[in-house]
Amino acid sequence: NGISPTHLNPMIGPYPTILNTFGAKNAALIVYHGEYWRLLTPVFLHAGVIHLLVNILIQFRVGVLLELQWGALRFIVIYWISGLASSLLS
């Protein structure tokens, strides 16, 4: 249903219910319904345009340097482990 008002989502993005539909972390659905895939999908979701642009900026500034230093495979493995760990620990 489009972009939500900024009092609901200050990141200029969708309504929270849309994020939940697309796989946002929802502890109740993970624990009580076994939707464990929700531990990884937040890596792909962005709360809005501002969130997406900041992530792109950081990926270009830091991610490229780390990939050059560590190599592509190690970078990807660390990226995924970090995404999973952040879901588990948040």
Side-chain angles (χ1 to χ4, degrees), residues 5-67:
T6 54
H7 71 276
L8 290 175
N9 185 349
M11 296 288 175
I12 308 172
Y15 285 87
T17 55
I18 299 297
L19 291 171
N20 192 50
T21 300
F22 286 148
K25 183 182 173 195
N26 183 325
L29 292 176
I30 294 168
V31 172
Y32 299 118
H33 295 280
E35 295 184 10
Y36 299 107
W37 53 272
R38 290 182 179 272
L39 294 172
L40 286 177
T41 51
V43 173
F44 299 107
L45 292 177
H46 294 85
V49 175
I50 294 171
H51 185 194
L52 178 62
L53 291 175
V54 169
N55 280 7
I56 290 171
L57 175 67
I58 296 300
Q59 285 291 339
F60 278 129
R61 295 293 306 246
V62 178
V64 171
L65 295 174
L66 293 176
E67 184 179 352

